[in-house]
Amino acid sequence: MRPILTGMDDGSEATHRQEERVARCFSSNGRLQRWPARRADQIVVLWIVWAQLPANGHRSEAEITATLRTWHDLGDPLTLRRQLVDLDLLRRTPDGAIYTRVARTDIPDAAARLSDRFDACGTL
């Protein structure tokens, strides 16, 4: 099942406002500091996190959790991991031991721009 995306990648003022709201959830060097209240903004945050995950190979549950822990100050990498799985951005084996980043090309524009911005800072 494909997740419903934000539907706000039209270059509108609403898209710009959403991008700025999401950017405020991150520090200047791209570290996630707070979880947004709006679900649409949460989805953009998850896409940003997805964009920073290694594209190739399989990772153990411990490796994915450790990676997610290094990118945020929320104290709950398990919720991020579950949300990524729920959006089909990350897949796991039935026993939950191995995770793989799903190859996707439909990244929302706001997430791509913010991911590029934070990646340029050398973080995430």
Side-chain angles (χ1 to χ4, degrees):
M1 178 166 83
R2 301 278 312 216
I4 298 172
L5 300 179
T6 62
M8 293 181 57
D9 285 339
D10 58 3
S12 70
E13 180 64 28
T15 301
H16 179 72
R17 284 193 311 266
Q18 179 188 38
E19 190 172 324
E20 291 308 309
R21 275 193 318 270
V22 170
R24 288 190 300 269
C25 294
F26 292 85
S27 68
S28 61
N29 65 354
R31 191 167 173 84
L32 181 60
Q33 295 186 308
R34 68 175 187 83
W35 190 243
R38 296 178 186 195
R39 182 62 182 156
D41 296 351
Q42 292 171 5
I43 291 170
V44 173
V45 165
L46 291 164
W47 275 97
I48 293 167
V49 171
W50 167 87
Q52 305 307 315
L53 290 170
N56 299 323
H58 305 293
R59 306 285 185 284
S60 72
E61 178 182 19
E63 289 172 314
I64 288 292
T65 300
T67 299
L68 293 174
R69 185 174 282 122
T70 65
W71 294 339
H72 70 85
D73 296 326
L74 304 177
D76 188 9
L78 306 180
T79 296
L80 284 176
R81 193 182 70 217
R82 279 188 221 107
Q83 294 276 333
L84 289 164
V85 170
D86 288 349
L87 284 178
D88 197 34
L89 297 175
L90 194 61
R91 290 200 183 127
R92 64 180 171 216
T93 56
D95 64 2
I98 303 296
Y99 287 76
T100 305
R101 180 185 144 183
V102 176
R104 301 283 295 264
T105 58
D106 54 339
I107 185 169
D109 291 341
R113 283 189 297 271
L114 288 169
S115 181
D116 288 346
R117 182 192 312 178
F118 297 139
D119 194 37
C121 296
T123 312
L124 282 185

